[in-house]
Amino acid sequence: MSTVLAVIPARGGSKGVPGKNLAPVGDAPLVTRAVRECRAARLLTSVVVSTDDPGIAAAAHAAGAEVIERPDELAGDTATSEAAVLHAMGVYEERHGVAVDVVLLIQCTSPFLTREEINGVSAAVLDGADTALTVAPFHGYVWREGAPTGGHGVNHDKAYRPRRQDRPQDLLETGAAYAMRAEGFRAERHRFFGRTELVRCDPARVLEIDDPHDLARARALAPLLDGGNTGLSSWPLPDYLPTRADVDAVVLDFDGTQTDDRVLVDSEGRELVAVHRGDGLGIAALRRAGLPLLILSTEENPVVAARARKLRIPVLHGIDRKDLALKQWCEEQGIAPERVLYAGNDVNDLPCFDLVGWPVAVASAHDIVRGAARAVTSAPGGAGAIREIASWILGKELTAS
């Protein structure tokens, strides 16, 4: 099976529209809209967002994309989209140990791009074209200023005005989606080479956001063009929840994730917390399924160690840099971080969210943490959130266990 990778370049700097890639259109930021349509495109293997901006990275993670950090030399105004795609493709191949066959350049500044158009350019290259792009029918007369005769026709002779049906069909490059055969793209370092297939789109949906007026038009059009059928509903969506095929290990925060974040202190200074029996059942089922498990906590507390012993899973607590401890644990276990599900609830979990492939927030998590998560439980911490995560991963296996 061919590996088809979509790359969404989304740097943080934008002079025309500051913070453009995080600007909301309809119900979601531009980068989120692009990721969602890519994830819904059946011909794609994976979607990655290449960015230098933590806010964009968090939004991309939450929408279900893999994030690739863009180096400084590719984050300036003069860096090309091709350079960003080549870098992201190389990192993806090294990270996953696969060779990409077809690579897509997806521009999130085209807010009304559809999954059908993404599939269209992908299919064109899979079927034999070297490159493909989205285009829309265009019937306008293009003029260009210039001496000595002033304005002159670019796609017409200004002295001859044929009827539209007598003119050749012009097609406008939408700027939304491009697909390239990966081998040729590496060699040519440009999005157009060899045989180029044109994939027609609805001209009513063509809009590139380059200035504030474009953004205003997009926001005005979104209620009409989204139409309730584009999949742009609020996160999380059911088909984005992880299954056993997505996850090789589960790492759990403790306070606020396995508890309700309250602490009871007796007259002797001893601390007590409340946990959920259903969480214990879920963790036991994950353990029986052979998934490596770990409790990772900032607090150094006998309660954490006691709960880990009860659950019969390892614990690392009293950890200042949870992300470093998690990275080391993954290396020791031989587990790729992008195959790890990490469940947390507060801002000290965000560095771990950036490290793993499946950052999950419990329903009672801080707003920032929920926004950075790839999935959010319906249950709050200490009220069955971990059992809910186990049911995502194990499905019927959990019910049968």
Side-chain angles (χ1 to χ4, degrees):
M1 181 178 291
S2 298
T3 298
V4 183
L5 174 69
V7 178
I8 302 174
R11 63 187 186 90
S14 174
K15 293 181 178 178
V17 182
K20 177 169 63 177
N21 291 313
L22 286 175
V25 170
D27 76 332
L30 287 173
V31 68
T32 301
R33 294 175 68 97
V35 171
R36 286 173 171 176
E37 289 305 299
C38 285
R39 286 183 58 83
R42 60 183 175 79
L43 295 180
L44 291 189
T45 305
S46 296
V47 52
V48 302
V49 171
S50 167
T51 187
D52 60 328
D53 183 271
I56 293 173
H61 264 309
E66 181 176 335
V67 173
I68 292 178
E69 184 176 354
R70 193 185 303 194
D72 291 342
E73 60 269 21
L74 297 181
D77 293 340
T78 59
T80 66
S81 296
E82 280 90 346
V85 173
L86 283 165
H87 170 263
M89 182 171 64
V91 172
Y92 178 86
E93 290 180 325
E94 183 176 356
R95 185 181 288 176
H96 294 277
V98 299
V100 172
D101 299 295
V102 178
V103 63
L104 275 66
L105 163 60
I106 301 296
Q107 304 278 28
C108 58
T109 49
S110 293
F112 304 116
L113 173 69
T114 68
R115 62 200 69 179
E116 290 80 14
E117 292 158 1
I118 295 168
N119 280 328
V121 294
S122 302
V125 176
L126 288 170
D127 290 344
D130 295 296
T131 58
L133 73 153
T134 50
V135 297
F138 175 71
H139 303 290
Y141 289 106
V142 179
W143 290 79
R144 184 171 299 156
E145 293 180 335
T149 59
H152 65 276
V154 174
N155 64 341
H156 65 284
D157 181 347
K158 69 179 184 179
Y160 173 59
R161 306 287 288 185
R163 297 177 304 165
R164 188 177 75 176
Q165 58 266 37
D166 294 330
R167 296 168 51 200
Q169 174 68 78
D170 290 321
L171 296 167
L172 179 70
E173 183 177 333
T174 71
Y178 306 84
M180 296 80 71
R181 195 170 300 281
E183 183 180 1
F185 182 58
R186 284 194 192 90
E188 301 293 336
R189 307 183 71 83
H190 194 272
R191 72 189 76 175
F192 300 122
F193 55 89
R195 181 167 71 85
T196 300
E197 191 77 17
L198 306 179
V199 177
R200 297 193 180 212
C201 305
D202 179 358
R205 303 182 66 86
V206 176
L207 175 61
E208 286 189 273
I209 296 177
D210 292 319
D211 61 41
H213 301 293
D214 297 330
L215 181 58
R217 280 195 293 274
R219 287 170 171 168
L221 288 169
L224 300 173
L225 295 180
D226 287 350
N229 296 316
T230 61
L232 296 174
S233 56
S234 299
W235 180 263
L237 297 175
D239 57 341
Y240 291 156
L241 300 178
T243 67
R244 182 65 182 88
D246 302 309
V247 175
D248 289 340
V250 174
V251 179
L252 305 170
D253 175 47
F254 188 72
D255 292 309
T257 301
Q258 298 182 59
T259 77
D260 61 6
D261 222 12
R262 295 185 303 162
V263 178
L264 302 178
V265 183
D266 68 12
S267 60
E268 302 297 323
R270 292 186 294 260
E271 295 185 355
L272 300 174
V273 299
V275 295
H276 195 276
R277 287 189 182 278
D279 286 347
L281 293 173
I283 289 172
L286 291 170
R287 192 182 66 243
R288 287 194 297 272
L291 276 167
L293 300 165
L294 175 70
I295 294 176
L296 185 57
S297 176
T298 303
E299 294 291 326
E300 186 169 7
N301 193 317
V303 173
V304 183
R307 181 61 174 166
R309 286 195 300 271
K310 172 76 173 178
L311 297 173
R312 290 187 289 163
I313 61 175
V315 60
L316 295 173
H317 59 129
I319 303 297
D320 291 328
R321 287 290 305 275
K322 295 172 75 172
D323 56 331
L324 296 182
L326 177 55
K327 184 176 182 180
Q328 182 177 346
W329 182 80
C330 288
E331 291 174 353
E332 292 171 352
Q333 300 293 318
I335 297 170
E338 60 267 21
R339 299 281 301 173
V340 173
L341 184 149
Y342 179 94
N345 77 302
D346 217 330
V347 292
N348 63 342
D349 295 310
L350 291 175
C352 292
F353 274 29
D354 288 337
L355 181 64
V356 303
W358 277 99
V360 174
V362 296
S364 51
H366 191 285
D367 289 348
I368 294 175
V369 177
R370 290 202 307 274
R374 188 168 177 178
V376 180
T377 65
S378 58
I386 307 306
R387 191 185 195 284
E388 182 179 341
I389 291 170
S391 71
W392 297 347
I393 297 172
L394 299 177
K396 293 180 180 179
E397 292 180 45
L398 176 59
T399 305
S401 62

